[in-house]
Structure formats: C-alpha cells, structure tokens
C-alpha cells in the first residue's frame, strides 16, 4: 500500500540538479492546496495549486513557474510529472503533455542541507512511486515506465537518483531504492486498503530476446516490439500445460 505524503530529509550534494530533471509520482488528491508534492524548496518544486492545477517552479534568479492548463483529477490515483531538458520545461498529467510550457536555460539555484520534500506535512492526500531523475525523460519513456515499478537498486535506470516506492505498509521509514542515502523518517505509515494503491503493472525490468528456452517445457520469453530509448523491457513467460493450454 501507499504511504502518506509527510516525509522530509536533508539534501545530499547529488540532489542539487542544475541543468536537467524529471520529477514524477503517483498521487491521490483529497484536498487541493498550494503545497509541494516533490522537490527541494527554492530549487525545484512540483506542486498542486488550490485550484487543482499542477505547478512546476524552477529557481534561477527567483522562481520560474509554469502552471498546467489542465486540472488534476480528484479522489483517484493520478500520475503527475514534470521534465526540464535545459531548454524547456513540460508538465504531464496521466502521461499527457500539458499545453503550457516554460522556456528556461541553466543553471538552477543550489543550497546544501535543504530538505527534500515528498509532501510537506500539510498536504492532504497519498503518494507512491516518487522518482527524481537528473535527466529529462521523453514522453515515450515516461509512458512506458509510469505504470511499472522499477527494480530495487535501479542499476539499469540511467539518471535515476531517488526512488521511493512507499509500499512499506508499517514502521516509520520510507526507503529510497537507489544508492542515494535518502530514506525518509516519518511519524507513522498508514496501512491502507488495496484500492488505495496506485494502478501498477508488476513484471521484470530487463530486456530479453524473443526466444525459447528449455525448462522441462518450452517457455517463450517475449518483450515489447518497440522499446523507447533508455527504457527496459518487460518479461512475459508462457508454456503449454499437459492439457494443451497456454499458461503465463
């Protein structure tokens, strides 16, 4: 199950991104307010507004901001994201690029020791699968990845510097699944019912060739025919049972 958006911790140097970034997470909004969902205050901030819009602020000589034309759906799981490639910043709601953009060149402001926020403690809702990248994902990459959890350790994910699944379900620690030392300590984790978890598709996160291997029976390893650059494939294994039916 997902955890509440209440976690903060001080920023290591690896989080001071200045020239390209992707911020993304699954959120379940109960009450809209002008609160940080993901980011570092006064450096890069992905927020909601009180009007239910998605807002990205990048700091270069003050806040440079873009606010979505579209509204975030309420009382349901929604994938939100923002990317900046060093030239243009884009917003995404459920994988759809918003019409509003922001033109901005490097570099962003930095500052050691400022807390990383995944919710600022007063945001009303839930969140999971929060990810921070030091590069701009393409829209194809984002839509390929957003419904799938990534591998623990994330050694195959180029540019992924923080990844909080928020699936602990108990205890007071939200673990970062990359090598960055940035686990969150919170007052408590909610144990939520299944329908309060984001709609993810579970599977392997590596590419294999379409082939047949011998494991007592024929097993077909199938991957998507078209995989966006930088992405990993999903594994589907099937075999024919003793009744002549295919099982996966």
């Amino acid at each position: 199950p997902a955890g509440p958006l209440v976690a903060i911790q001080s920023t290591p140097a690896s989080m001071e991104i200045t020239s390209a970034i992707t911020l993304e997470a699954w959120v379940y909004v109960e009450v809209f307010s002008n609160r940080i969902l993901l980011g570092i205050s006064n450096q890069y901030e992905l927020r909601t507004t009180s009007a239910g819009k998605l807002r990205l602020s990048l700091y270069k000589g003050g806040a440079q901001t873009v606010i979505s034309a579209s509204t975030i759906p309420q009382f349901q799981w929604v994938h939100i994201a923002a990317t900046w490639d060093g030239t243009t910043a884009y917003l995404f709601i459920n994988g759809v690029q918003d019409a509003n953009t922001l033109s901005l060149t490097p570099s962003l402001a930095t500052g050691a020791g400022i807390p990383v926020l995944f919710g600022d403690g007063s945001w009303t809702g839930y969140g999971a699968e929060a990810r921070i990248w030091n590069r701009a994902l393409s829209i194809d990459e984002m839509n390929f990845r957003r419904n799938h959890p990534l591998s623990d350790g994330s050694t195959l994910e180029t540019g992924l510097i923080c990844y909080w699944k928020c699936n602990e379900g108990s205890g007071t620690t939200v673990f970062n699944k990359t090598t960055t030392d940035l686990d969150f300590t919170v007052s408590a984790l909610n144990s939520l019912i299944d329908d309060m978890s984001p709609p993810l598709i579970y599977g392997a996160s590596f590419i294999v060739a379409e082939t047949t291997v011998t494991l007592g029976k024929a097993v077909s390893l199938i991957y998507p025919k078209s995989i966006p650059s930088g992405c990993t494939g999903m594994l589907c294994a099937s075999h024919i049972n003793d009744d002549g039916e295919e099982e996966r």
Side-chain angles (χ1 to χ4, degrees):
L5 293 171
V6 295
I8 62 173
Q9 187 164 320
S10 295
T11 309
S14 61
M15 298 295 295
E16 295 181 352
I17 299 170
T18 61
S19 58
I21 193 171
T22 297
L23 303 167
E24 61 171 326
W26 281 92
V27 296
Y28 186 104
V29 181
E30 294 182 338
V31 178
F32 287 117
S33 58
N34 184 25
R35 300 295 183 182
I36 296 177
L37 297 181
L38 184 62
I40 300 175
S41 181
N42 296 321
Q43 293 185 31
Y44 47 86
E45 306 167 354
L46 187 59
R47 296 174 172 261
T48 58
T49 70
S50 57
K53 306 295 185 179
L54 186 61
R55 169 183 165 180
L56 174 67
S57 292
L58 302 174
Y59 284 78
K60 177 186 177 183
Q64 311 297 315
T65 298
V66 57
I67 299 174
S68 66
S70 300
T71 301
I72 302 169
Q74 196 173 11
F75 297 112
Q76 61 182 273
W77 281 103
V78 180
H79 184 266
I80 59 168
T83 66
W84 175 56
D85 59 10
T87 301
T88 307
Y90 302 92
L91 299 172
F92 302 86
I93 298 175
N94 281 334
V96 178
Q97 183 179 309
D98 192 79
N100 294 343
T101 62
L102 170 69
S103 296
L104 184 67
T105 57
S107 292
L108 301 186
T110 61
I114 302 174
V116 179
L117 303 174
F118 183 26
D120 60 6
S122 54
W123 190 89
T124 306
Y126 299 95
E129 291 293 318
R131 307 165 185 178
I132 300 178
W133 308 72
N134 63 10
R135 66 184 183 90
L137 299 185
S138 69
I139 189 170
D140 287 341
E141 283 185 274
M142 185 179 303
N143 280 316
F144 184 84
R145 297 172 190 272
R146 67 186 177 92
N147 288 317
H148 300 282
L150 305 180
S151 302
D152 289 4
S154 302
T155 56
L156 299 179
E157 306 296 344
T158 302
L160 182 64
I161 59 173
C162 279
Y163 176 31
W164 301 280
K165 290 187 175 183
C166 298
N167 63 350
E168 285 78 8
S170 62
T172 59
T173 302
V174 178
F175 294 101
N176 177 25
K177 300 300 184 179
T178 69
T179 57
T180 305
D181 183 18
L182 203 63
D183 297 336
F184 286 144
T185 300
V186 298
S187 58
L189 291 177
N190 286 354
S191 179
L192 304 175
I193 58 176
D194 287 343
D195 63 4
M196 290 298 291
S197 296
L200 300 181
I201 301 169
Y202 289 84
S205 58
F206 50 87
I207 298 174
V208 296
E210 187 170 0
T211 185
T212 298
V213 297
T214 301
L215 297 174
K217 298 181 179 179
V219 177
S220 298
L221 302 179
I222 305 167
Y223 65 95
K225 295 297 185 182
S226 178
I227 300 175
S229 176
C231 289
T232 54
M234 304 304 295
L235 175 66
C236 176
S238 66
H239 74 273
I240 304 302
N241 65 21
D242 294 333
D243 297 323
E245 299 170 337
E246 183 180 29
E247 295 180 348
R248 291 181 179 268

